[in-house]
Each structure stands twice: as structure tokens, then as C-alpha cells.
Amino acid sequence: MSYDVTIEPIGRTIEVEEDQTILDAALRAGIYLPHACTHGLCATCKIDVLEGEVEHGAASSFALMDFEREEGKTLACCATPESDLVIEAEIEDDPDALNLPVEDYRATVSRIESLTPTIKAVWLRLDRPLTFQAGQYVNLELPEDIGSRPFSIASPPGESDEIELNIRLVPGGQGTGYVHNRLAVGDQLHVTGPYGRFFVKKSADKPVIFMAGGSGLSSPRSMILDLLAEDFDRPIVLVYGQRNREELYYHEEFRQLAEEHPNFRYVAALSGEPEDSEWSGERGYVHEVAKEVMENDFRGHKAYLCGPPLMIESCIAALMQGRLFEKDIYTEKFISAADAQQVRSPLFRSI
């Protein structure tokens, strides 16, 4: 059984299966509803039910309070229809969004490579090409009831029949532990995507700066390779941080790209490299090095941040001190159930 759900203010009607969430159905129809954790914890996907009845599902009482339920609000990531619906959501009109529908893919692990002691590159050969925007991510369904995990695509859209994921081993992480210790070439997996609204705002026609740390390099790599392939002529700066030289990956690739493309500048920063090592590059944290590189003036840029939460917070502060503000700063949107319960920057509530 299915229900018709009309989404206002755009007036689109989609079909939602009885046990399907409103969010999943909308994304599969190419309609982006704001969301983040997808676990009913962060309230990013809160919508108004104007007509009809819903089952609220696993929405937490903190993210969706009792009085809000009585007022007709629900969380799209958890809510399933119990009748035909009319809902209202905050839908942004983004001229750079392709609004690609989410689809299911069968994938075969075609290659696995250790990039660093804690990061593996996994290549997946899909049963058909995946159309995505550089910066987006996929959900990877792992076996043994581990469930799905989101991973950013590290390869550019031009290589969409085989995608690359860079996966860092999280201590105690069931999903990343499986990938690092048990996943093998030839394994069959289920992939769903593309997801996310993290992509370059090309229509702005402004210089861009990427600030990345750890395996957060995945999305910037895809975005930078895509920009360079399209002969993007505005300045592009990548400031990438790791603790030590052993964890720094794709270093030579970016150095080579910087030599080949005059508008691309690559700066690697190490925060924990021994003082007596042979490293001759920048030392310090990403936000510190970025301030030096840009002489503490980020005006006129679009900034894209990827990495651990503390790095993101520090970079946001540095950018704003350097006179770049919220409308020009973007971060990746997907977060885990644990992340969703953490306090986010009081200076930057909309990210």
C-alpha cells in the first residue's frame, strides 16, 4: 500500500510506501528536504503536516517535543504516512543543485589500498554509472547486521562507473572496523546515493578555499579534480592537515596538480610531526596555516570545510575573524547518531 504526499510550497506530489519514511521517498524523487543525522535526533528535517496522519517513528522526545507533535510537526527522517498527506518543508532553491534522485546500486569491491596506517581507499565497481555532484556521499550497506554507513566519494564525477571511498579506521567503530579488517576484493555490497548538498557553488564565480583534515580530504579531492577538469579559472586553495607525514595521503598527487594548474595552490600542514624530522612544509593546525597563507583575509571566497568537529569549529572561527561570513562557508551535512547529540557552534547554527 502507498500514499500520496504533496510537498509544499513546491506543490509536488510523490508516492510513499506504507513503511517508507517521507525523507527517503522525497530524496528518491529528486526532492531535497533538509536533513542531517537521519536518526531522529537533530531535528534538522522537521516539517509541518498540514493534512493527514503520520506515525512519528523513532523521533526523540528532545528533537520532537510533545507540544510540537500536537501542533502537527514531525521529523521527515522517521515519519511514515498513515494516510495521504500534505506537508510543508523549508526547501531552498539552490541554482547549483542538480537535485539528483537517490537510487540503489549493486557494487563489487574492485580494489583496496592502504593510503595511511589508518585510512584505506576502497574502489567500488557499480552495476551502472552513478550520477553525482562532486562533494556528495553514498550510504554503504555493510553485512552482518552492521547497517549502512555514509562515506564521501573521493573520485570525480567523470569516473562514475567506479567510485572511490577513503575510509578511516575509527577506534571501536563496527563499520570502519569491518572495512579495514574483513572487507575483500570481490565482495558484493549494496550502495545507495547520491546524498548531500555539499558541492561547489560554481554559479558564484568566486575563488574557493578548501580546508580539510584527516579523511575529510575525500570530498575536496573530488571537488578539486572536478573543477580542474572543467578548467575552472578562479584561484583554488587547498589547506590539508594531518598529525604527521605518515598520515598524509595524496600529497604527491596534489603537488603535481599544483605544478600543472597555475590557479591551484596546495598547502599541507602537520600538527604533530617531530621537530627533528625531514619535513620542510608547514607545521601547525589547518586554521592556523590557512590564516598565514591567506594573510588573515578570506574576503571574496567560498570556503568548504571537511574534517573532525574540532577542526571545523576552529576553521569557522578563523574564517569569520578573517571577514568571511556564514553565507560563504559550507561544511558536509551528514552526521552520525552520536554526532547529532553534540553541541554545535553557537556562532554558526545554520551549518
Side-chain angles (χ1 to χ4, degrees), residues 122-153:
V122 177
W123 282 266
L124 301 175
R125 176 73 64 180
L126 305 179
D127 59 346
R128 64 190 189 282
L130 166 68
T131 301
F132 68 95
Q133 289 186 261
Q136 290 190 296
Y137 67 95
V138 295
N139 277 336
L140 187 63
E141 190 73 30
L142 296 173
E144 300 182 5
D145 297 324
I146 293 174
S148 64
R149 297 291 190 273
F151 297 109
S152 296
I153 304 172

Side-chain angles (χ1 to χ4, degrees), residues 104-115:
D104 299 301
Y105 298 83
R106 293 190 305 275
T108 302
V109 180
S110 55
R111 183 157 51 113
I112 300 176
E113 179 182 327
S114 292
L115 299 176

Side-chain angles (χ1 to χ4, degrees), residues 312-332:
I312 297 292
E313 294 288 332
S314 298
C315 288
I316 289 171
L319 288 166
M320 296 183 79
Q321 290 165 8
R323 292 175 284 183
L324 191 69
F325 299 102
E326 180 172 349
K327 66 182 179 65
D328 293 315
I329 305 175
Y330 306 90
T331 70
E332 290 194 277

Side-chain angles (χ1 to χ4, degrees), residues 86-108:
V86 177
I87 64 171
E88 187 172 35
E90 294 184 8
I91 300 178
E92 297 179 1
D93 182 18
D94 189 333
D96 293 291
L98 297 182
N99 296 316
L100 301 167
V102 168
E103 298 182 18
D104 299 301
Y105 298 83
R106 293 190 305 275
T108 302

Side-chain angles (χ1 to χ4, degrees), residues 114-119 240 242-251 270 272-274 277 279:
S114 292
L115 299 176
T116 79
T118 62
I119 299 174
Y240 173 51
Q242 279 283 16
R243 287 192 55 80
N244 53 58
R245 181 65 183 87
E246 191 177 31
E247 288 292 333
L248 195 64
Y249 71 104
Y250 284 131
H251 180 61
L270 302 181
E273 180 72 3
S277 76
W279 174 251

Side-chain angles (χ1 to χ4, degrees), residues 239-310:
V239 182
Y240 173 51
Q242 279 283 16
R243 287 192 55 80
N244 53 58
R245 181 65 183 87
E246 191 177 31
E247 288 292 333
L248 195 64
Y249 71 104
Y250 284 131
H251 180 61
E252 296 305 324
E253 175 185 78
F254 283 117
R255 289 181 61 182
Q256 182 64 35
L257 287 171
E259 291 181 7
E260 296 172 355
H261 300 272
N263 64 319
F264 175 54
R265 183 179 182 183
Y266 167 59
V267 182
L270 302 181
S271 62
E273 180 72 3
E275 290 295 333
D276 59 353
S277 76
E278 297 181 358
W279 174 251
S280 59
E282 298 290 338
R283 294 175 182 266
Y285 294 104
V286 171
H287 67 285
E288 298 169 335
V289 173
K291 287 175 68 173
E292 292 179 10
V293 168
M294 301 299 294
E295 298 180 349
N296 199 28
D297 187 353
F298 298 98
R299 288 176 297 175
H301 286 74
K302 290 286 187 180
Y304 302 88
L305 318 181
C306 310
L310 285 178

